[in-house]
């Protein structure tokens, strides 16, 4: 008999959220949606409530919650509409929920993701920012509360699939030499430095292989996304930074690889569609249908690899620096990046100013150890403040 999983989908109106619900809809006998959450997209949330009839729907924004509530009553649905960060934490930790898809974008996802881990849920982690900001603190909470952590990020999901089942946190014990973290190189892989200066938000959001939210699309274009993923891999797999090699692979067919001491390299391949890692984690340890079509090897024809260029993509180097410094630096890197990306998307700064701002903020704030989630949130706040000041000084 199939066990039914009771789900809370955090960030259900986003790119990952929608793909998650697409997989859920294919397996009504396996998944029961208890709660959905979003920022302010009432139209999408209402459609999702009609389709999945969750017990709770959270809109972070108060006005959006009021509008949704009116529509829910009109539709005769029984969903209870909640609002605020506390409600995000509440639905992530409900006793009737056993599985939480953590798919809010950015630092906003950290508190509900912690709440899910603290209540021992199966946490399907798309919100990489939680691990970047709070690495060891989050991993300790997972361990302490016997939560299960499964990566949704396609690279980390591929690494998990390429590791042996008995992997329990020590790569050397299972004969791993290194991790090969693949990167598409984004839309500007072949652009010159002077071309990068002219990049517009629309160009930056047009990823050649993946259809994603705007923030992660810009991160992919600057390659900060790969930097965040190096930090994510460091904590998920307890991997020393020098054991993580970024490999540019423009086709995005190999989603990452694991190299063993005997020279074997195991990889996970597939079409670039997030429903594959989502279905892998949702069905784990069983394999379930995701709706993703077969990989047509004859159409792919060729797999290319190249080394990353840190001169044109300094964000990747900044992430390695933050990881080496440790303490609050990854949280500072992440917060400065969020402000920089939002400013770029809002037309307030150039594409090439993104790494410049982050580097400055990392220099202004002194390195400090962190032990609690409050320390992390404080570092996040300080960095946002410093980033905003930097922006003011530029104009
Ligand atoms: P998105 O922008 O498409 O969706 C974000 C979701 O979070 C939406 O439902 C939105 O309503 C909600 N949200 C936004 N701000 C919020 C706030 N302040 N409080 C509460 N909710 C808020 O983003 P996405 O592309 O789906 O990415 C989600 C996460 O998954 C990110 O951390 C991203 O790095 C990670 N991820 C995404 C992909 C992808 O293919 N999209 C791949 C790997 C990892
Ligand atoms: Mg990824």
């Amino acid at each position: 008999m199939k066990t039914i999983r009771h789900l809370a989908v955090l960030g259900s109106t986003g790119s990952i959220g929608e793909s998650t619900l697409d997989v859920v809809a294919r397996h009504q006998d396996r998944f029961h949606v208890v709660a959905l959450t979003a920022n302010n997209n009432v139209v999408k949330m209402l459609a999702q409530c009609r389709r999945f009839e969750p017990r709770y729907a959270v809109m972070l924004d108060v006005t959006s919650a009021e509008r949704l509530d009116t529509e829910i009553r009109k539709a005769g649905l029984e969903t209870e509409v909640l609002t605020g960060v506390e409600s995000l934490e509440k639905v992530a930790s409900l006793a009737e929920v056993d599985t939480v898809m953590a798919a809010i974008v950015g630092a906003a996802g950290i508190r509900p993701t912690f709440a899910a881990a603290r209540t021992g849920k199966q946490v399907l982690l798309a919100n990489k920012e939680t691990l970047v900001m709070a690495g060891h603190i989050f991993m300790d909470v997972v361990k302490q509360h016997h939560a299960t952590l499964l990566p949704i990020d396609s690279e980390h999901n591929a690494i998990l699939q390429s590791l042996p089942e008995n992997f329990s946190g020590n790569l050397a014990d299972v004969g791993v030499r290194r991790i090969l973290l693949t990167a598409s190189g984004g839309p500007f892989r072949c652009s010159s430095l002077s071309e990068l200066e002219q990049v517009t938000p629309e160009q930056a959001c047009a990823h050649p292989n993946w259809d994603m939210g705007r923030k992660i699309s810009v991160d992919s274009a600057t390659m900060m996304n790969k930097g965040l993923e190096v930090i994510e891999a460091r904590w998920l797999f307890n991997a020393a930074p020098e054991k993580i090699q970024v490999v540019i692979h423009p086709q995005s067919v190999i989603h990452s690889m694991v190299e063993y001491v005997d020279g074997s390299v195991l990889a996970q391949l597939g079409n670039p569609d997030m429903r594959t890692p989502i279905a892998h984690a949702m069905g784990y340890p069983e394999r379930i249908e995701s709706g993703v079509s077969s990989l047509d090897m004859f159409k792919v024809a060729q797999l290319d690899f190249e080394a990353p260029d840190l001169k044109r993509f300094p964000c990747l180097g900044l992430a390695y620096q933050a990881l080496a410094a440790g303490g609050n630096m990854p949280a500072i890197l992440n917060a400065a990046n969020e402000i920089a990306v939002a400013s770029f998307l809002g037309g307030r700064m150039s594409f090439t100013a993104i790494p410049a701002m982050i580097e400055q903020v990392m220099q202004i704030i002194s390195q400090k150890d962190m032990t609690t989630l409050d320390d992390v949130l404080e570092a996040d706040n300080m960095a946002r403040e410093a980033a905003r000041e930097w922006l003011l000084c530029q104009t």
Side-chain angles (χ1 to χ4, degrees):
M1 233 195 45
K2 287 172 191 162
T3 358
I4 296 190
R5 295 211 147 268
H6 301 274
L7 278 177
V9 182
L10 312 178
S12 65
T13 58
S15 161
I16 295 289
E18 287 198 299
S19 294
T20 301
L21 293 177
D22 182 277
V23 173
V24 167
R26 291 166 197 276
H27 303 278
Q28 307 259 15
D29 53 341
R30 277 181 186 270
F31 303 111
H32 165 228
V33 177
V34 180
L36 297 173
T37 86
N39 184 16
N40 56 13
N41 192 333
V42 175
V43 174
K44 239 183 219 179
M45 180 57 94
L46 180 63
Q48 293 180 346
C49 287
R50 283 183 194 274
R51 176 82 175 79
F52 297 97
E53 300 189 12
R55 173 137 185 233
Y56 301 100
V58 184
M59 301 301 290
L60 182 77
D61 175 58
V62 182
T63 319
S64 305
E66 286 165 4
R67 280 180 46 214
L68 179 70
D69 190 56
T70 309
E71 295 301 324
I72 293 270
R73 299 305 136 230
K74 263 198 234 160
L77 297 170
E78 280 171 19
T79 300
E80 189 179 329
V81 179
L82 307 171
T83 187
V85 179
E86 297 70 26
S87 301
L88 295 174
E89 291 177 286
K90 173 184 163 164
V91 298
S93 41
L94 286 170
E96 65 206 271
V97 164
D98 50 51
T99 306
V100 175
M101 169 58 78
I104 291 174
V105 62
I110 196 168
R111 281 178 51 182
T113 307
F114 261 79
R118 267 194 220 106
T119 43
K121 309 295 188 208
Q122 175 134 314
V123 182
L124 315 183
L125 189 74
N127 181 254
K128 65 189 88 186
E129 292 89 349
T130 290
L131 269 182
V132 171
M133 295 169 71
H136 70 96
I137 302 172
F138 183 67
M139 293 308 283
D140 285 351
V141 168
V142 167
K143 216 182 262 168
Q144 197 185 337
H145 298 278
H146 308 289
T148 308
L149 189 57
L150 292 169
I152 294 299
D153 218 341
S154 57
E155 295 77 3
H156 306 75
N157 185 271
I159 294 163
L160 176 69
Q161 294 196 46
S162 305
L163 283 169
E165 265 171 32
N166 63 347
F167 172 67
S168 62
N170 189 329
L171 290 171
D173 280 357
V174 288
V176 171
R177 189 186 277 156
R178 59 183 182 151
I179 286 170
L180 300 164
L181 189 71
T182 54
S184 69
F188 311 126
R189 184 173 58 87
C190 303
S191 306
S192 66
L193 261 176
S194 56
E195 284 167 336
L196 289 178
E197 276 160 23
Q198 310 303 322
V199 159
T200 65
E202 279 55 48
Q203 290 168 326
C205 288
H207 196 278
N209 306 336
W210 297 95
D211 182 9
M212 308 179 286
R214 282 168 79 77
K215 191 258 178 184
I216 186 176
S217 295
V218 177
D219 285 349
S220 299
T222 60
M223 288 205 64
M224 178 56 91
N225 184 49
K226 213 44 57 179
L228 301 180
E229 289 183 358
V230 168
I231 303 176
E232 185 184 9
R234 188 264 169 266
W235 296 114
L236 275 175
F237 306 111
N238 190 22
E242 64 277 12
K243 301 270 179 199
I244 308 168
Q245 172 68 57
V246 172
V247 178
I248 307 286
H249 162 49
Q251 289 89 359
S252 298
V253 164
I254 296 181
H255 299 308
S256 276
M257 301 172 261
V258 174
E259 182 185 306
Y260 290 84
V261 287
D262 61 4
S264 298
V265 178
L266 301 195
Q268 185 259 356
L269 285 72
N271 284 321
D273 186 323
M274 289 306 293
R275 290 175 302 174
T276 294
I278 288 170
H280 174 265
M282 295 211 345
Y284 194 83
E286 282 175 58
R287 294 276 177 177
I288 61 171
E289 180 64 53
S290 66
V292 177
S293 55
S294 291
L295 179 64
D296 185 340
M297 284 298 197
F298 304 115
K299 224 166 153 188
V300 172
Q302 184 180 332
L303 299 174
D304 295 312
F305 305 98
E306 52 192 67
D309 177 353
L310 297 190
K311 276 217 178 77
R312 284 181 305 129
F313 299 101
C315 283
L316 182 55
L318 290 172
Y320 270 108
Q321 271 177 39
L323 181 55
N328 54 354
M329 274 305 145
I332 287 162
L333 169 98
N334 180 71
N337 180 55
E338 286 191 23
I339 298 289
V341 170
S343 307
F344 166 68
L345 284 173
R348 295 185 297 280
M349 69 187 233
S350 71
F351 184 76
T352 43
I354 295 174
M357 176 202 264
I358 300 166
E359 189 173 16
Q360 273 296 310
V361 173
M362 284 171 66
Q363 277 171 12
I364 293 167
I365 302 176
S366 34
Q367 204 267 1
K368 211 172 124 185
D369 282 348
M370 302 191 303
T371 48
T372 64
L373 176 56
D374 283 342
D375 294 341
V376 178
L377 297 175
E378 190 192 312
D380 177 75
N381 261 327
M382 275 175 74
R384 279 168 201 271
E385 201 97 318
R388 288 192 195 102
E389 266 171 38
W390 183 91
L391 203 60
L392 278 178
C393 293
Q394 304 301 302
T395 47

